[in-house]
């Protein structure tokens, strides 16, 4: 890990453990361009990669073709209106309506450590494990400075970037576009991967060729949403999970985003991410600054899997914070699919009575405990206990749960307000709306104006009162609708374009207050399931509910897309009821447990009403969780087979950092007649270590052997990775198995 300025070559070189990122200053004027990102290189002069000597584009000697230079130079932070006709990262409008900016090198600073971003979630580090570069560019004519910050971390092959725009012009200006990161790459016959979906089928992997022009993903919903995701990777056409070059980019942000690729006439591909510029217009007074969210760049020459493991390491080690960062999470049972709104304290206690005997560790009381809430048509914002439902109030219920040896958690939807509520009666102006226009509803609810401090203070005060009234150790923070009808009584007309970003900052502020006041609280974020599963949320809570669809087979596809970027420890995953409440599928209880083991693990059902055969399996599943969770939570993830691609079989593996143990999960979704055993090649093991294969119950895994021939068999890691093992197809569909790999 190192960052250096090579003065005689005018190059900045950022080195992680296995990659190099190089920025060059060129020409008398000091244009700043992206020279190289990829596998580690030496400190050689790679200015030639900027192609500044290829006419007619030479910046210092051919003024007549300056626009040709602008339109092909790989700018490190491209601006609008000067002649670079590709997508720009920065667009600033002055008081006269002009919007041309030209950035040149001004100064730089290299230091150990990593600074935070005011009001925004960001990666963190200290002087021993991180290093940063602040590269200041300036539009000297407009007196606008842009500080590009780059940070790296010991042992992690990722570069994180953000931009700070400083207005020294003496007048107000308007930012209409301020991306977090942009990088120009020579096209290597790239494909791109995006994640798409909808409610209950989030983050499906979509791989397509990079074509000419602009392609991308975006959100205008006030959150990333179920439909698209602020992640893109570029990868060579032949890249797979295990080989090929891959460039990944993710955004640490929970609001409107846009991530695009722009392939131009010269076959340069510009990859860019940041706040969605649509409806964004930020007034920057003289002396003010604007800081963009942080973007994460990852390069891998070990395929998609190498990229995923770098993202996982960064987020586990330098984004997630708090008491549960490195801890096993309690096994919870949530009453939502068990009871929906139809519960009282006795019903919940009856669930706890059974759950505690089985080894479940926490009850989470979901929607319906407050106000006059008997369905989803009222009471959001009235965060007062409904004592008609919960006799004795929250404290009585929590004490009863604690007496039975279980922890207690609770559901909130702090950003929402129901038109039928005491809060709306008192403060209709607190709901986001356009004056004089009837706002659209979703789930019969509106959104509170979190740009207002009085709203944030009031709602947080109610939440704090509830959490302080009893021993509540977990909060599920939900958000069940997007933002629309943008307007508010307190926002000035010339600042309406700031609303969506200010809303997101308001949410972050309340979450920060929550985890500061309750440092041992386990916060799980949720947005109608996986609508706000983003890196920004992981800064406040170590886990996010992955999807409202907890069907094990649907989750194979959802969790594969999620695991592409986010560590398994972040994925809220539960064993749900059958027939599944979303798709109606019946899946073996064993398979549901194996799939949920890839995440935080818990139960989403009425344990008092499920079949006895299933209930009797719970203690063994809980024992399985305690046995394997440290490995699943901290190990390296490898994707072996994809049901989303092959339609029949899913398989993934987690390997401990010291390569002494591994866990392989196989799910046979569709059984075919007259087939042989399936051969799979393990990954990530140590070639020279010897391993034994074990079944879930600790017995030896047969691996195609019979009788005494299978006794005490061991295999070198090299054999398991190159020759593989055989997996016999079980009888029936949707069957699963675990194989535990242990060093001898």
């Amino acid at each position: 890990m190192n960052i250096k300025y090579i003065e005689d070559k005018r190059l900045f070189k950022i080195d992680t453990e296995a990659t190099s990122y190089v920025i060059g200053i060129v020409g008398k004027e000091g244009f700043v361009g992206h020279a190289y990102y990829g596998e580690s290189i030496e400190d050689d002069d790679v200015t030639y990669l900027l192609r500044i000597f290829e006419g007619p584009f030479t910046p210092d000697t051919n003024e007549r073709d300056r626009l040709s230079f602008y339109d092909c130079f790989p700018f490190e932070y491209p601006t609008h209106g000067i002649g670079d006709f590709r997508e720009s990262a920065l667009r600033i409008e002055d008081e006269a309506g002009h919007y041309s900016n030209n950035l040149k090198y001004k100064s730089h600073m290299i230091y150990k450590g990593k600074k935070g971003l005011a009001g925004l979630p960001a990666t963190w580090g200290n002087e021993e494990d991180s290093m940063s570069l602040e590269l200041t560019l300036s539009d000297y004519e407009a007196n606008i400075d842009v500080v590009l910050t780059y940070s790296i971390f010991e042992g992690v092959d990722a570069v994180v970037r953000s931009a700070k725009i400083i207005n020294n012009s003496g007048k107000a200006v308007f930012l209409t576009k301020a991306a977090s990161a942009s990088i120009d790459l020579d096209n290597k016959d790239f494909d791109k991967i995006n994640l798409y979906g909808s409610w209950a089928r989030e983050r499906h992997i979509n791989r397509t060729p990079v074509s000419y022009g602009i392609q991308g993903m975006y959100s205008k919903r006030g959150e990333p949403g179920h439909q698209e995701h602020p992640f893109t990777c570029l990868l060579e056409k032949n890249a797979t999970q295990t080989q090929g070059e891959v460039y990944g980019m993710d955004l640490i942000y929970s609001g409107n985003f846009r991530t695009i690729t722009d392939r131009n006439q010269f076959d340069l591909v510009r990859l860019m991410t940041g706040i969605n510029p649509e409806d964004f217009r930020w007034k920057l007074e003289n002396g003010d600054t604007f800081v963009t969210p942080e973007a994460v760049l990852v390069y891998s020459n070990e395929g998609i899997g190498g990229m995923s493991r770098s993202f996982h390491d960064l987020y586990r080690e330098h984004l997630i914070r708090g008491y549960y960062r490195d801890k096993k999470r309690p096994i919870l049972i949530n009453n939502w699919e068990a009871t929906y709104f139809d519960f009282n304290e006795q019903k919940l206690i009856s669930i706890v009575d059974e759950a505690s005997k089985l080894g479940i560790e926490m009850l989470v009381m979901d929607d319906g405990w407050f106000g006059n809430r008997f369905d989803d048509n009222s009471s959001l914002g009235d965060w007062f206990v409904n004592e008609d439902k919960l006799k004795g109030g929250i404290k009585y219920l929590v004490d009863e749960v604690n007496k039975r040896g279980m922890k207690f958690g609770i559901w909130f939807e702090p950003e929402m307000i129901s038109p039928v509520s005491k809060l709306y009666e008192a403060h209709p102006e607190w709901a986001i709306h356009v004056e004089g226009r009837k706002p659209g509803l979703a789930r019969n609810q509106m959104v509170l104006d979190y740009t207002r401090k009085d709203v944030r203070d009031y709602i947080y005060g109610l939440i704090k009162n509830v959490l302080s009234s009893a021993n509540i150790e977990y909060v599920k923070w939900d958000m069940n609708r997007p933002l629309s009808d943008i307007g508010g009584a307190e926002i000035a007309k010339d600042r309406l374009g700031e609303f969506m970003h200010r809303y997101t900052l308001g949410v972050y502020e309340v979450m920060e207050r929550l985890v500061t006041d309750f440092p041992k609280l386990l916060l799980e974020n949720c947005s109608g399931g996986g609508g706000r599963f983003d890196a920004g949320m992981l800064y406040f809570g170590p886990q996010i509910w992955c999807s409202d669809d907890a069907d094990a087979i649907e989750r194979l596809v959802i969790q594969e897309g999620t695991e592409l970027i986010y560590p398994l420890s972040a994925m809220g995953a539960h064993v749900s009821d059958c027939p599944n409440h979303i798709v109606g599928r019946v899946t073996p209880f064993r398979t549901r447990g194996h799939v949920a083991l890839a995440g935080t693990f818990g139960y989403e059902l009425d344990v008092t009403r499920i079949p006895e055969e299933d209930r009797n399996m719970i203690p063994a599943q809980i024992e399985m969780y305690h046995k394997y969770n440290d490995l699943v939570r901290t190990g390296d993830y490898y994707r072996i087979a994809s049901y989303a691609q092959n339609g029949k079989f899913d398989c993934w593996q987690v390997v401990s950092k010291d390569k002494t143990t591994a866990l392989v999960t196989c799910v046979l979704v569709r059984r075919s007649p007259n087939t042989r055993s399936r051969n799979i090649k393990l990954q990530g093991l140590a070639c020279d270590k010897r391993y034994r294969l074990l079944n879930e119950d600790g017995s030896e895994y047969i691996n195609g052997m019979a009788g005494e021939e299978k006794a005490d068999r061991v295999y070198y890691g090299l054999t398991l990775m190159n020759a593989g093992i055989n997996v016999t197809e079980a009888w029936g569909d949707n069957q699963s198995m675990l194989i535990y790999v242990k060093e001898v």
Side-chain angles (χ1 to χ4, degrees), residues 335-366:
N335 75 297
W336 178 243
E337 289 192 8
T339 67
Y340 293 99
F341 293 101
D342 185 18
F343 65 87
N344 56 28
E345 83 284 355
Q346 290 305 316
K347 175 58 182 175
L348 297 180
I349 289 171
S350 72
I351 291 173
V352 170
D353 283 336
E354 187 64 36
S356 61
K357 298 173 190 174
L358 300 170
I360 296 172
E361 298 165 335
M362 175 185 284
L363 171 74
V364 173
M365 180 174 63
D366 212 283

Tab-separated table of all heavy atoms in Angstrom, residues 335-366:
chain	number	residue	atom	x	y	z
A	335	ASN	N	-42.342	-11.902	13.669
A	335	ASN	CA	-43.742	-12.324	13.673
A	335	ASN	C	-44.533	-11.872	12.448
A	335	ASN	O	-45.737	-12.137	12.371
A	335	ASN	CB	-44.450	-11.799	14.941
A	335	ASN	CG	-44.744	-10.305	14.870
A	335	ASN	OD1	-43.830	-9.493	14.799
A	335	ASN	ND2	-46.026	-9.938	14.883
A	336	TRP	N	-43.900	-11.219	11.469
A	336	TRP	CA	-44.682	-10.643	10.366
A	336	TRP	C	-45.446	-11.719	9.601
A	336	TRP	O	-46.681	-11.700	9.526
A	336	TRP	CB	-43.774	-9.840	9.436
A	336	TRP	CG	-44.499	-9.249	8.262
A	336	TRP	CD1	-44.294	-9.518	6.948
A	336	TRP	CD2	-45.570	-8.294	8.301
A	336	TRP	NE1	-45.161	-8.795	6.161
A	336	TRP	CE2	-45.957	-8.029	6.971
A	336	TRP	CE3	-46.234	-7.644	9.338
A	336	TRP	CZ2	-46.976	-7.152	6.647
A	336	TRP	CZ3	-47.265	-6.756	9.021
A	336	TRP	CH2	-47.627	-6.519	7.682
A	337	GLU	N	-44.755	-12.694	9.024
A	337	GLU	CA	-45.457	-13.721	8.260
A	337	GLU	C	-46.190	-14.699	9.174
A	337	GLU	O	-47.014	-15.488	8.710
A	337	GLU	CB	-44.485	-14.460	7.334
A	337	GLU	CG	-44.014	-13.613	6.179
A	337	GLU	CD	-43.284	-14.404	5.100
A	337	GLU	OE1	-43.277	-15.653	5.173
A	337	GLU	OE2	-42.720	-13.782	4.187
A	338	ALA	N	-45.892	-14.643	10.466
A	338	ALA	CA	-46.595	-15.497	11.424
A	338	ALA	C	-47.978	-14.950	11.755
A	338	ALA	O	-48.951	-15.704	11.867
A	338	ALA	CB	-45.768	-15.635	12.700
A	339	THR	N	-48.084	-13.632	11.920
A	339	THR	CA	-49.335	-13.040	12.412
A	339	THR	C	-49.840	-11.872	11.588
A	339	THR	O	-51.011	-11.502	11.698
A	339	THR	CB	-49.140	-12.529	13.852
A	339	THR	OG1	-48.210	-11.417	13.832
A	339	THR	CG2	-48.607	-13.612	14.768
A	340	TYR	N	-48.960	-11.246	10.779
A	340	TYR	CA	-49.246	-9.950	10.174
A	340	TYR	C	-49.734	-8.998	11.271
A	340	TYR	O	-49.086	-8.881	12.306
A	340	TYR	CB	-50.200	-10.093	8.984
A	340	TYR	CG	-49.537	-10.849	7.851
A	340	TYR	CD1	-49.769	-12.210	7.641
A	340	TYR	CD2	-48.626	-10.215	7.012
A	340	TYR	CE1	-49.129	-12.896	6.621
A	340	TYR	CE2	-47.976	-10.899	5.983
A	340	TYR	CZ	-48.224	-12.241	5.794
A	340	TYR	OH	-47.578	-12.915	4.798
A	341	PHE	N	-50.874	-8.319	11.090
A	341	PHE	CA	-51.314	-7.333	12.092
A	341	PHE	C	-52.096	-7.966	13.252
A	341	PHE	O	-52.407	-7.298	14.230
A	341	PHE	CB	-52.191	-6.265	11.431
A	341	PHE	CG	-51.453	-5.397	10.451
A	341	PHE	CD1	-51.552	-5.625	9.095
A	341	PHE	CD2	-50.650	-4.347	10.887
A	341	PHE	CE1	-50.870	-4.822	8.185
A	341	PHE	CE2	-49.965	-3.545	9.994
A	341	PHE	CZ	-50.073	-3.788	8.631
A	342	ASP	N	-52.420	-9.238	13.118
A	342	ASP	CA	-53.317	-9.896	14.068
A	342	ASP	C	-52.535	-10.533	15.215
A	342	ASP	O	-52.230	-11.728	15.200
A	342	ASP	CB	-54.147	-10.952	13.334
A	342	ASP	CG	-55.195	-11.594	14.230
A	342	ASP	OD1	-55.504	-11.006	15.292
A	342	ASP	OD2	-55.689	-12.677	13.875
A	343	PHE	N	-52.166	-9.731	16.196
A	343	PHE	CA	-51.447	-10.268	17.345
A	343	PHE	C	-51.745	-9.421	18.577
A	343	PHE	O	-52.210	-8.290	18.494
A	343	PHE	CB	-49.933	-10.323	17.087
A	343	PHE	CG	-49.282	-8.966	16.922
A	343	PHE	CD1	-48.829	-8.248	18.027
A	343	PHE	CD2	-49.115	-8.405	15.659
A	343	PHE	CE1	-48.231	-7.000	17.881
A	343	PHE	CE2	-48.513	-7.158	15.499
A	343	PHE	CZ	-48.073	-6.455	16.621
A	344	ASN	N	-51.452	-10.010	19.722
A	344	ASN	CA	-51.438	-9.292	20.995
A	344	ASN	C	-50.274	-9.837	21.805
A	344	ASN	O	-49.498	-10.672	21.305
A	344	ASN	CB	-52.772	-9.438	21.741
A	344	ASN	CG	-53.146	-10.895	21.979
A	344	ASN	OD1	-52.283	-11.765	22.087
A	344	ASN	ND2	-54.434	-11.164	22.053
A	345	GLU	N	-50.140	-9.371	23.035
A	345	GLU	CA	-48.962	-9.785	23.811
A	345	GLU	C	-48.986	-11.280	24.108
A	345	GLU	O	-47.928	-11.947	24.134
A	345	GLU	CB	-48.844	-8.951	25.102
A	345	GLU	CG	-49.682	-9.416	26.284
A	345	GLU	CD	-51.160	-9.061	26.129
A	345	GLU	OE1	-51.508	-8.369	25.156
A	345	GLU	OE2	-51.947	-9.479	27.002
A	346	GLN	N	-50.166	-11.866	24.274
A	346	GLN	CA	-50.241	-13.290	24.577
A	346	GLN	C	-49.833	-14.134	23.369
A	346	GLN	O	-49.163	-15.167	23.520
A	346	GLN	CB	-51.655	-13.652	25.042
A	346	GLN	CG	-52.006	-13.093	26.416
A	346	GLN	CD	-50.991	-13.518	27.471
A	346	GLN	OE1	-50.566	-14.672	27.532
A	346	GLN	NE2	-50.584	-12.556	28.302
A	347	LYS	N	-50.244	-13.712	22.183
A	347	LYS	CA	-49.831	-14.436	20.977
A	347	LYS	C	-48.313	-14.391	20.827
A	347	LYS	O	-47.672	-15.408	20.524
A	347	LYS	CB	-50.513	-13.842	19.739
A	347	LYS	CG	-50.045	-14.463	18.423
A	347	LYS	CD	-50.272	-15.965	18.378
A	347	LYS	CE	-49.773	-16.589	17.098
A	347	LYS	NZ	-49.892	-18.067	17.103
A	348	LEU	N	-47.716	-13.226	21.028
A	348	LEU	CA	-46.264	-13.118	20.907
A	348	LEU	C	-45.559	-13.952	21.972
A	348	LEU	O	-44.542	-14.602	21.694
A	348	LEU	CB	-45.844	-11.652	20.993
A	348	LEU	CG	-46.367	-10.736	19.878
A	348	LEU	CD1	-45.863	-9.312	20.092
A	348	LEU	CD2	-45.964	-11.240	18.501
A	349	ILE	N	-46.094	-13.950	23.174
A	349	ILE	CA	-45.471	-14.733	24.247
A	349	ILE	C	-45.578	-16.224	23.942
A	349	ILE	O	-44.659	-17.002	24.221
A	349	ILE	CB	-46.104	-14.377	25.605
A	349	ILE	CG1	-45.673	-12.965	26.021
A	349	ILE	CG2	-45.687	-15.385	26.683
A	349	ILE	CD1	-46.411	-12.416	27.237
A	350	SER	N	-46.680	-16.638	23.317
A	350	SER	CA	-46.803	-18.053	22.956
A	350	SER	C	-45.754	-18.458	21.919
A	350	SER	O	-45.234	-19.573	21.961
A	350	SER	CB	-48.211	-18.344	22.422
A	350	SER	OG	-48.414	-17.792	21.124
A	351	ILE	N	-45.454	-17.551	21.000
A	351	ILE	CA	-44.385	-17.823	20.036
A	351	ILE	C	-43.044	-17.921	20.756
A	351	ILE	O	-42.231	-18.809	20.489
A	351	ILE	CB	-44.356	-16.726	18.953
A	351	ILE	CG1	-45.604	-16.822	18.064
A	351	ILE	CG2	-43.093	-16.831	18.106
A	351	ILE	CD1	-45.750	-15.691	17.065
A	352	VAL	N	-42.808	-17.002	21.691
A	352	VAL	CA	-41.552	-17.001	22.441
A	352	VAL	C	-41.414	-18.266	23.285
A	352	VAL	O	-40.319	-18.845	23.384
A	352	VAL	CB	-41.461	-15.737	23.324
A	352	VAL	CG1	-40.298	-15.825	24.295
A	352	VAL	CG2	-41.321	-14.501	22.455
A	353	ASP	N	-42.517	-18.714	23.897
A	353	ASP	CA	-42.460	-19.929	24.711
A	353	ASP	C	-41.916	-21.105	23.903
A	353	ASP	O	-41.080	-21.880	24.393
A	353	ASP	CB	-43.857	-20.272	25.250
A	353	ASP	CG	-44.258	-19.395	26.429
A	353	ASP	OD1	-43.351	-18.872	27.111
A	353	ASP	OD2	-45.472	-19.233	26.652
A	354	GLU	N	-42.386	-21.243	22.678
A	354	GLU	CA	-41.927	-22.352	21.836
A	354	GLU	C	-40.542	-22.074	21.267
A	354	GLU	O	-39.671	-22.949	21.251
A	354	GLU	CB	-42.930	-22.579	20.699
A	354	GLU	CG	-42.646	-23.809	19.854
A	354	GLU	CD	-42.763	-25.101	20.646
A	354	GLU	OE1	-43.640	-25.184	21.527
A	354	GLU	OE2	-41.965	-26.026	20.387
A	355	ALA	N	-40.329	-20.846	20.814
A	355	ALA	CA	-39.051	-20.503	20.179
A	355	ALA	C	-37.887	-20.638	21.144
A	355	ALA	O	-36.795	-21.098	20.772
A	355	ALA	CB	-39.113	-19.087	19.621
A	356	SER	N	-38.086	-20.231	22.388
A	356	SER	CA	-36.987	-20.289	23.365
A	356	SER	C	-36.561	-21.718	23.636
A	356	SER	O	-35.380	-21.993	23.864
A	356	SER	CB	-37.405	-19.594	24.663
A	356	SER	OG	-38.527	-20.245	25.244
A	357	LYS	N	-37.510	-22.660	23.607
A	357	LYS	CA	-37.169	-24.071	23.822
A	357	LYS	C	-36.303	-24.613	22.687
A	357	LYS	O	-35.514	-25.540	22.883
A	357	LYS	CB	-38.442	-24.912	23.922
A	357	LYS	CG	-39.356	-24.569	25.073
A	357	LYS	CD	-40.652	-25.360	24.957
A	357	LYS	CE	-41.700	-24.889	25.944
A	357	LYS	NZ	-43.010	-25.571	25.729
A	358	LEU	N	-36.473	-24.049	21.512
A	358	LEU	CA	-35.776	-24.546	20.327
A	358	LEU	C	-34.399	-23.930	20.141
A	358	LEU	O	-33.629	-24.370	19.282
A	358	LEU	CB	-36.628	-24.276	19.084
A	358	LEU	CG	-38.010	-24.941	19.080
A	358	LEU	CD1	-38.861	-24.405	17.934
A	358	LEU	CD2	-37.878	-26.456	18.982
A	359	GLY	N	-34.087	-22.885	20.911
A	359	GLY	CA	-32.783	-22.245	20.803
A	359	GLY	C	-32.774	-20.936	20.061
A	359	GLY	O	-31.712	-20.327	19.879
A	360	ILE	N	-33.940	-20.449	19.613
A	360	ILE	CA	-34.027	-19.139	18.966
A	360	ILE	C	-33.754	-18.064	20.019
A	360	ILE	O	-34.163	-18.186	21.171
A	360	ILE	CB	-35.401	-18.963	18.299
A	360	ILE	CG1	-35.556	-19.997	17.178
A	360	ILE	CG2	-35.575	-17.555	17.741
A	360	ILE	CD1	-36.943	-20.060	16.563
A	361	GLU	N	-33.079	-16.984	19.618
A	361	GLU	CA	-32.480	-16.078	20.594
A	361	GLU	C	-33.144	-14.708	20.697
A	361	GLU	O	-32.859	-13.955	21.621
A	361	GLU	CB	-30.995	-15.886	20.248
A	361	GLU	CG	-30.219	-17.188	20.315
A	361	GLU	CD	-28.858	-17.104	19.648
A	361	GLU	OE1	-28.680	-16.256	18.740
A	361	GLU	OE2	-27.977	-17.891	20.025
A	362	MET	N	-34.014	-14.350	19.752
A	362	MET	CA	-34.616	-13.016	19.772
A	362	MET	C	-35.987	-13.040	19.118
A	362	MET	O	-36.177	-13.711	18.099
A	362	MET	CB	-33.716	-12.007	19.044
A	362	MET	CG	-34.309	-10.603	18.915
A	362	MET	SD	-33.285	-9.466	17.938
A	362	MET	CE	-31.993	-9.077	19.106
A	363	LEU	N	-36.925	-12.314	19.696
A	363	LEU	CA	-38.205	-12.042	19.056
A	363	LEU	C	-38.176	-10.630	18.492
A	363	LEU	O	-37.816	-9.681	19.196
A	363	LEU	CB	-39.355	-12.143	20.056
A	363	LEU	CG	-40.710	-11.646	19.515
A	363	LEU	CD1	-41.295	-12.655	18.533
A	363	LEU	CD2	-41.694	-11.357	20.647
A	364	VAL	N	-38.571	-10.484	17.233
A	364	VAL	CA	-38.746	-9.159	16.631
A	364	VAL	C	-40.234	-8.935	16.388
A	364	VAL	O	-40.869	-9.692	15.641
A	364	VAL	CB	-37.954	-9.022	15.322
A	364	VAL	CG1	-38.284	-7.694	14.639
A	364	VAL	CG2	-36.461	-9.125	15.587
A	365	MET	N	-40.771	-7.916	17.031
A	365	MET	CA	-42.174	-7.535	16.849
A	365	MET	C	-42.264	-6.575	15.665
A	365	MET	O	-41.737	-5.467	15.706
A	365	MET	CB	-42.710	-6.883	18.122
A	365	MET	CG	-44.156	-6.455	18.034
A	365	MET	SD	-44.822	-5.843	19.612
A	365	MET	CE	-43.774	-4.400	19.893
A	366	ASP	N	-42.953	-7.001	14.639
A	366	ASP	CA	-43.025	-6.231	13.396
A	366	ASP	C	-44.206	-5.262	13.433
A	366	ASP	O	-44.740	-4.929	14.502
A	366	ASP	CB	-43.094	-7.189	12.208
A	366	ASP	CG	-42.432	-6.635	10.961
A	366	ASP	OD1	-43.048	-5.776	10.297
A	366	ASP	OD2	-41.300	-7.050	10.641
